[in-house]
């Protein structure tokens, strides 16, 4: 078995790098976790649950996750406006990773 040489490799060509490009950001994993735990969530509910996140940051981050196909946005034509967010099938495929992170945290909390 030959050993790989780092000089011949590039991190940006890895699956790890691609995954990180989708979930990297201060609140992306938190938003994904929130949707994993609660299913369908309204914007203000998520803002209150996460705490410390501005309306603008939450809005921008949700738009990025939606553009990447991880989050679904459902807007209802009513007054006042009602918008709900949930994980897409692609977003749901991250659940085993999120579950593993939760388990690791439970087992290694100091």
């Amino acid at each position: 078995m030959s050993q790989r040489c780092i000089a011949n490799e590039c991190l940006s060509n890895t699956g790890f790098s691609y995954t990180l490009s989708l979930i990297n950001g201060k609140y992306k994993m938190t938003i994904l976790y929130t949707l994993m735990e609660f299913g369908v969530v309204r914007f203000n509910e998520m803002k209150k649950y996460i705490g410390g996140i501005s309306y603008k940051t939450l809005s921008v981050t949700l738009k990025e996750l939606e553009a990447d196909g991880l989050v679904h946005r459902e807007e209802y034509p009513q007054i006042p406006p009602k918008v709900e967010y949930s994980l897409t099938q692609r977003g749901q495929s991250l659940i085993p990773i999120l579950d593993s992170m939760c388990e690791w945290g439970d087992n290694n909390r100091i």
Side-chain angles (χ1 to χ4, degrees):
M1 176 181 224
S2 65
Q3 202 171 17
R4 292 171 55 199
C5 177
I6 195 167
N8 299 327
E9 302 291 335
C10 181
L11 179 63
S12 64
N13 295 333
T14 64
F16 173 81
S17 179
Y18 176 72
T19 304
L20 196 58
S21 75
L22 296 179
I23 63 173
N24 196 20
K26 185 171 181 179
Y27 291 103
K28 285 186 177 181
M29 291 294 289
T30 304
I31 291 168
L32 293 169
Y33 170 79
T34 302
L35 295 173
M36 176 188 81
E37 285 293 302
F38 298 101
V40 177
V41 181
R42 294 181 69 176
F43 185 91
N44 286 331
E45 294 172 332
M46 191 176 311
K47 164 97 174 65
K48 184 178 178 183
Y49 178 74
I50 294 172
I53 187 172
S54 70
Y55 286 101
K56 181 178 180 180
T57 300
L58 180 56
S59 178
V60 167
T61 306
L62 283 165
K63 285 177 184 171
E64 289 172 0
L65 289 167
E66 184 182 7
D68 289 333
L70 300 175
V71 169
H72 173 71
R73 180 180 190 269
E74 185 71 39
E75 188 173 346
Y76 297 92
Q78 64 185 50
I79 296 178
K82 178 181 175 183
V83 179
E84 295 178 333
Y85 296 89
S86 60
L87 292 175
T88 62
Q89 188 172 359
R90 187 175 191 211
Q92 290 173 3
S93 70
L94 288 169
I95 289 176
I97 295 167
L98 296 169
D99 280 338
S100 294
M101 291 176 68
C102 293
E103 185 178 332
W104 188 92
D106 289 339
N107 293 335
N108 290 280
R109 190 178 310 191
I110 296 175

